[in-house]
Amino acid sequence: MSRIAASAEIADTVKIGRDVEIGENVVIHDYAVIKDNVRIGDNVEIFSFAVIGRLPKSAGVTARKLSSDFEPVVIGSGSVISPGAVIYAGVTIGCNCLIGDHASIREGAVIGDRCLISRNVTFNYNVTVGEGTKILDNTHITGNCKIGRNVFISAGVVSVNDNNIGRAGYTEGEITGPTVCDNVSVGAACILMPSVVLGENSIISAGSVVKKNVKPFSVVAGNPAKFITKIPDYLITE
């Protein structure tokens, strides 16, 4: 049975599934779809044509086996889900987050408080993002990727998780995306290769292709990315 707070404002055209909880002062605009097993905190706003709680479907063409058992979708208080965004099953979004227009967040993602996931950003499965992180337009975050706190990822960044480019199928534990540690800044149009670790407070210059681990407090640039200098003290954040 669904529970909807009396103070929630829900447009007549919204579709709401089973076992949904909607908190106080929530606003849901026209033609949004709230699937089964969704928990929406207080003061959340969901804009038109957003889909919350979509189940993944493979049509028999994906190498990775899809689960059919997911925890509830949780959207933390004060968050905003923009028009056309799609939040899959089993996703947790923290408080005071902004999910941009037409963003796609696949199953199993965990996003911390006060994060910005901007327009047309795509997350694949099982991504974790620490609090205060910002990921800008048209960036792709690959499956099994870990992103720390207060990270800034600029527009058009691509991350990948399979050095075999799909030729060897999917083996859990071998297909891993980058690990982006706390306070890292990634410039526009970078490519982050599988399993690389971007050390704390490192800076990846725009257009770089990162094929090897980056040491903490380093600035790297180029294809392949190479060490340029240590970052100045005034750019170090905690």
Side-chain angles (χ1 to χ4, degrees), residues 164-181:
N164 293 313
I165 321 176
R167 289 174 176 263
Y170 183 88
T171 302
E172 191 70 40
E174 295 182 7
I175 305 297
T176 57
T179 296
V180 183
C181 296

Side-chain angles (χ1 to χ4, degrees), residues 97-111:
C97 291
L98 174 58
I99 307 300
D101 302 352
H102 303 288
S104 176
I105 312 296
R106 284 282 302 272
E107 64 274 10
V110 178
I111 299 172

Side-chain angles (χ1 to χ4, degrees), residues 25 29 74 80 149 236:
N25 303 311
H29 294 269
V74 177
V80 174
R149 298 180 300 106
I236 295 175

Side-chain angles (χ1 to χ4, degrees), residues 24-105:
E24 300 287 345
N25 303 311
V26 169
V27 178
I28 306 180
H29 294 269
D30 281 316
Y31 301 105
V33 177
I34 313 300
K35 298 285 190 178
D36 299 343
N37 209 21
V38 173
R39 312 286 183 261
I40 300 173
D42 298 340
N43 303 303
V44 167
E45 187 164 12
I46 299 173
F47 280 88
S48 298
F49 299 102
V51 177
I52 312 297
R54 178 187 169 184
L55 290 171
K57 300 290 183 181
S58 75
V61 299
T62 58
R64 174 175 168 266
K65 183 179 179 180
L66 298 180
S67 174
S68 58
D69 185 21
F70 296 99
E71 295 295 319
V73 173
V74 177
I75 299 177
S77 62
S79 289
V80 174
I81 311 299
S82 297
V86 179
I87 311 299
Y88 279 69
V91 168
T92 297
I93 296 174
C95 299
N96 301 111
C97 291
L98 174 58
I99 307 300
D101 302 352
H102 303 288
S104 176
I105 312 296

Side-chain angles (χ1 to χ4, degrees), residues 10-223:
I10 301 174
D12 292 340
T13 54
V14 172
K15 292 188 177 296
I16 297 177
R18 297 169 296 179
D19 193 21
V20 172
E21 297 179 8
I22 298 177
E24 300 287 345
N25 303 311
V26 169
V27 178
I28 306 180
H29 294 269
D30 281 316
Y31 301 105
V33 177
I34 313 300
K35 298 285 190 178
D36 299 343
N37 209 21
V38 173
R39 312 286 183 261
I40 300 173
D42 298 340
N43 303 303
V44 167
E45 187 164 12
I46 299 173
F47 280 88
S48 298
F49 299 102
V51 177
I52 312 297
R54 178 187 169 184
L55 290 171
K57 300 290 183 181
S58 75
V61 299
T62 58
R64 174 175 168 266
K65 183 179 179 180
L66 298 180
S67 174
S68 58
D69 185 21
F70 296 99
E71 295 295 319
V73 173
V74 177
I75 299 177
S77 62
S79 289
V80 174
I81 311 299
S82 297
V86 179
I87 311 299
Y88 279 69
V91 168
T92 297
I93 296 174
C95 299
N96 301 111
C97 291
L98 174 58
I99 307 300
D101 302 352
H102 303 288
S104 176
I105 312 296
R106 284 282 302 272
E107 64 274 10
V110 178
I111 299 172
D113 296 341
R114 297 177 290 101
C115 287
L116 167 64
I117 311 301
S118 194
R119 289 179 296 268
N120 300 313
V121 169
T122 55
F123 278 27
N124 219 325
Y125 50 85
N126 300 337
V127 171
T128 61
V129 178
E131 64 181 23
T133 285
K134 297 180 179 179
I135 302 176
L136 299 192
D137 303 30
N138 302 310
T139 286
H140 176 66
I141 304 299
T142 192
N144 297 329
C145 183
K146 297 179 180 180
I147 299 173
R149 298 180 300 106
N150 301 317
V151 169
F152 181 88
I153 298 179
S154 193
V157 172
V158 175
S159 58
V160 293
N161 63 6
D162 183 7
N163 279 318
N164 293 313
I165 321 176
R167 289 174 176 263
Y170 183 88
T171 302
E172 191 70 40
E174 295 182 7
I175 305 297
T176 57
T179 296
V180 183
C181 296
D182 296 346
N183 305 307
V184 169
S185 296
V186 181
C190 289
I191 299 175
L192 309 180
M193 298 300 285
S195 302
V196 296
V197 177
L198 310 186
E200 179 184 357
N201 265 289
S202 60
I203 296 175
I204 315 303
S205 300
S208 297
V209 179
V210 181
K211 298 181 177 181
K212 296 182 178 180
N213 294 346
V214 176
K215 292 182 178 180
F217 306 100
S218 297
V219 179
V220 301
N223 179 7

